[in-house]
Amino acid sequence: MGEKVVAGAFDLADRRMYRNKLQQCLLGLERLLAEQRFDRPRNLMGLEIELNLADSRGLPRMMNEEVLERIASRDFQTELAQFNIEVNIAPHPLSGRVLDRLAEELRTGLGYADRMAGEVGAGIVMVGILPTLQAQDLVSANLSRADRYTLLNDRILAMRGEDITLDIEGVEHLVYTSASIAPEAACTSTQMHLQVTPDRFAAVWNAAQAVSAPQVAVGANSPFLFGRELWRETRPLLFQQATDTRPQELRAQGVRPLTWFGERWIDSALDLFAENLRYYPSLLPICDDEEPLRVLDEGGVPKLRELTLHNGTIYRWNRPVYQVVDGVPHLRVENRVMPAGPTVADVIANAAFYYGLVRALADASRPVWQRLPFGAAAANFDAACRDGIGAVLHWPRPRGTALAQVPAADLIRDELLPLAAAGLDAWGIDPADRDHYLGIIEQRCQHRTNGAQWQSDAFHHHLGRGLDRRAALAAMTQRYRALSTAGAPVHTWPVPE
């Protein structure tokens, strides 16, 4: 099939053509949903983890192409900046000893990648934001050499019409102006995918939204940017500001940001795709020759390329995904709230908590989203990003609809972990895997620690020994990488006294 790229300077006829194609795609998706043409449920989950490249001093290395040449595996790909790569784990059925199998696959794959990176003087650092990044590292010259990254950068800046301003006030205050979207590359995440049927999509997405705050609170791992200590999970706010297409006047008018939590609970996957068309101009408009309604009339399955590409440039923290695999359409929820790291064990523990809790809440006879106002869920997410394991969240009481303010660690330990265990049982996860990985979450709550807390404590220890800020961040990052590679979960990591 041919494609017409209409990004950049395109005329009114092009715009109308593209919007018409998007509307056709949305109608095609609506028909597919009504006709129940989607893949049968196979309980498939998948992981993507974005990684940093750093040298022996903990400083970023701009050499992802050289590293990927040595890794020579399709499981590893480029990411936005030259100090980023990404590893993709093939989908697995959620059952049995899958958590241990995933952990072993990750340890093997990351260990191999680290050895290959070592051949060119780099190492893998699995963290939400590399603590040693400086402003001069995040410039357009250090974006990866791929046309899509350049085009994305140019389109966001053209729509915005002015430089990007970062303004983040946490433990300290950072204000910085960038002439490119390169600061977004500081954000390295763990993304968790779950294939669902159309009739289950809304319940799973709503549940994922509700649990985003507890996820972040217990797993925060991004407290530093440009030498400043900011939010415990700075990454979401940084991502939102670094990709914001709105100039100040549009923000004041309430125009929605490209990266957002959302504004309501949903009844169908179609709600989200329709919102994406209604509220957002396309960043990367490409018109395909496919006529989705004709394909459906002829008994085929349309790929809906315009819709999927448009959807992929709207950064919801729980994103709806449509994809055709082996000629069969399927839907999945893509959970994007978690940072990378600190260790493989921590990543799998975060996954166990998420998949178990989402299953339990989606199956509940009294859904939490009927008792938790959406605005409270969004405020919880901000509180968790800001305060991490020390956050206080609003949560409905087990009986009734009243909201209570509950420390996140207590809520997770006393109420959510038992639900997550029941959810893993419902998936058919082996009890040994269930208890081991949820036990890691429980111990973080018990010790009130996670990656962000460890980083902050270690940084301040080095400052107290007389190191300047950059040296303290470098020393902390070197120790972080050594402990991360050793593999023991972060709640066991010693902090120098």
Side-chain angles (χ1 to χ4, degrees):
M1 288 187 178
E3 294 178 340
K4 181 179 181 182
V5 180
V6 293
F10 53 100
D11 61 25
L12 183 60
D14 286 330
R15 293 177 186 274
R16 287 174 175 167
M17 174 183 67
Y18 185 71
R19 295 300 296 182
N20 182 58
K21 282 299 299 288
L22 282 175
Q23 290 296 334
Q24 289 182 43
C25 287
L26 188 64
L27 290 172
L29 178 61
E30 187 173 17
R31 278 183 54 178
L32 284 164
L33 290 167
E35 295 169 8
Q36 299 184 358
R37 299 272 297 275
F38 283 80
D39 196 6
R40 61 183 176 83
R42 290 185 288 167
N43 300 339
L44 290 179
M45 57 83 71
L47 291 175
E48 298 177 15
I49 306 174
E50 295 162 349
L51 308 164
N52 295 276
L53 299 174
D55 63 19
S56 60
R57 299 168 295 168
L59 304 179
R61 290 280 278 161
M62 307 295 171
M63 56 188 322
N64 59 3
E65 289 184 359
E66 295 92 328
V67 169
L68 289 170
E69 283 179 6
R70 283 162 174 77
I71 294 174
S73 167
R74 293 182 180 178
D75 293 340
F76 290 83
Q77 300 174 357
T78 59
E79 254 298 327
L80 180 59
Q82 294 178 39
F83 64 90
N84 302 143
I85 61 174
E86 178 181 271
V87 60
N88 297 283
I89 302 300
H92 286 62
L94 267 168
S95 62
R97 299 302 302 271
V98 64
L99 298 176
D100 257 1
R101 288 199 301 274
L102 284 168
E104 184 57 31
E105 285 184 31
L106 274 173
R107 279 191 288 267
T108 300
L110 293 177
Y112 170 74
D114 194 53
R115 291 193 298 274
M116 295 301 100
E119 293 182 357
V120 288
I124 303 294
V125 184
M126 190 164 56
V127 65
I129 296 175
L130 187 66
T132 54
L133 283 170
Q134 296 294 318
Q136 63 265 26
D137 299 317
L138 292 169
V139 294
S140 56
N142 287 336
L143 294 177
S144 291
R145 299 181 184 92
D147 290 343
R148 68 182 183 276
Y149 299 130
T150 301
L151 183 56
L152 185 65
N153 178 73
D154 293 346
R155 288 288 292 156
I156 287 177
L157 290 173
M159 293 177 71
R160 183 179 174 88
E162 60 189 35
D163 286 348
I164 289 168
T165 299
L166 307 180
D167 188 346
I168 304 173
E169 188 164 6
V171 177
E172 299 174 296
H173 191 189
L174 171 70
V175 178
Y176 175 73
T177 300
S178 173
S180 79
I181 66 167
E184 185 229 310
C187 307
T188 40
S189 66
T190 297
Q191 299 171 22
M192 293 179 277
H193 304 257
L194 179 60
Q195 184 182 348
V196 295
T197 54
D199 61 327
R200 288 277 290 172
F201 185 95
V204 171
W205 188 86
N206 288 339
Q209 289 285 97
V211 305
S212 293
Q215 278 184 274
V216 170
V218 80
N221 196 29
S222 314
F224 294 100
L225 177 65
F226 298 167
R228 303 289 178 86
E229 186 173 4
L230 302 171
W231 288 16
R232 283 300 184 250
E233 187 52 38
T234 304
R235 185 178 50 87
L237 186 57
L238 169 60
F239 201 109
Q240 179 176 320
Q241 294 186 2
T243 60
D244 200 343
T245 58
R246 306 168 303 165
Q248 179 59 43
E249 59 270 23
L250 293 185
R251 292 198 297 274
Q253 294 171 22
V255 173
R256 293 158 182 82
L258 201 65
T259 302
W260 72 325
F261 186 80
E263 61 188 13
R264 65 185 177 103
W265 306 116
I266 65 167
D267 298 314
S268 164
L270 196 66
D271 293 348
L272 299 176
F273 288 99
E275 282 183 0
N276 288 351
L277 264 64
R278 184 181 310 121
Y279 297 140
Y280 297 101
S282 181
L283 282 177
L284 303 175
I286 295 177
C287 277
D288 191 86
D289 286 343
E290 178 186 77
E291 297 183 33
L293 300 181
R294 176 180 291 181
V295 172
L296 282 166
D297 289 340
E298 294 172 352
V301 175
K303 295 187 182 299
L304 309 181
R305 287 186 178 91
E306 291 87 357
L307 188 71
T308 57
L309 180 60
H310 180 63
N311 184 67
T313 59
I314 297 163
Y315 304 107
R316 295 178 182 270
W317 295 114
N318 286 289
R319 175 190 277 168
V321 177
Y322 169 89
Q323 189 174 11
V324 179
V325 180
D326 298 327
V328 180
H330 76 229
L331 288 171
R332 67 176 185 262
V333 174
E334 183 179 275
N335 178 262
R336 303 163 51 82
V337 306
M338 296 304 291
T343 67
V344 168
D346 287 300
V347 168
I348 301 302
N350 292 338
F353 182 58
Y354 169 72
Y355 288 116
L357 191 52
V358 163
R359 174 65 185 263
L361 294 183
D363 287 350
S365 58
R366 296 180 64 228
V368 68
W369 54 92
Q370 293 181 3
R371 299 176 289 132
L372 179 69
F374 193 90
N380 282 345
F381 183 67
D382 287 345
C385 291
R386 184 179 59 250
D387 300 326
I389 199 74
V392 175
L393 307 180
H394 291 86
W395 199 258
R397 295 299 76 215
R399 295 179 179 83
T401 59
L403 296 183
Q405 290 186 313
V406 189
D410 294 342
L411 174 67
I412 293 165
R413 184 187 59 200
D414 299 337
E415 187 172 339
L416 301 186
L417 276 173
L419 287 173
L424 292 179
D425 288 344
W427 287 121
I429 298 297
D430 188 280
D433 275 17
R434 176 200 66 200
D435 294 345
H436 174 65
Y437 290 106
L438 291 185
I440 292 173
I441 302 295
E442 181 179 25
Q443 286 299 304
R444 285 192 219 150
C445 294
Q446 185 71 30
H447 293 282
R448 296 297 200 272
T449 194
N450 53 22
Q453 189 62 50
W454 185 91
Q455 288 187 55
S456 177
D457 290 345
F459 168 71
H460 286 286
H461 164 78
H462 290 300
L463 281 182
R465 292 183 55 214
L467 296 183
D468 64 30
R469 296 178 69 89
R470 293 189 69 172
L473 285 168
M476 180 269 285
T477 302
Q478 292 171 52
R479 183 61 174 154
Y480 176 103
R481 181 174 183 271
L483 291 167
S484 177
T485 302
V490 72
H491 71 267
T492 68
W493 290 9
V495 175
E497 296 181 359

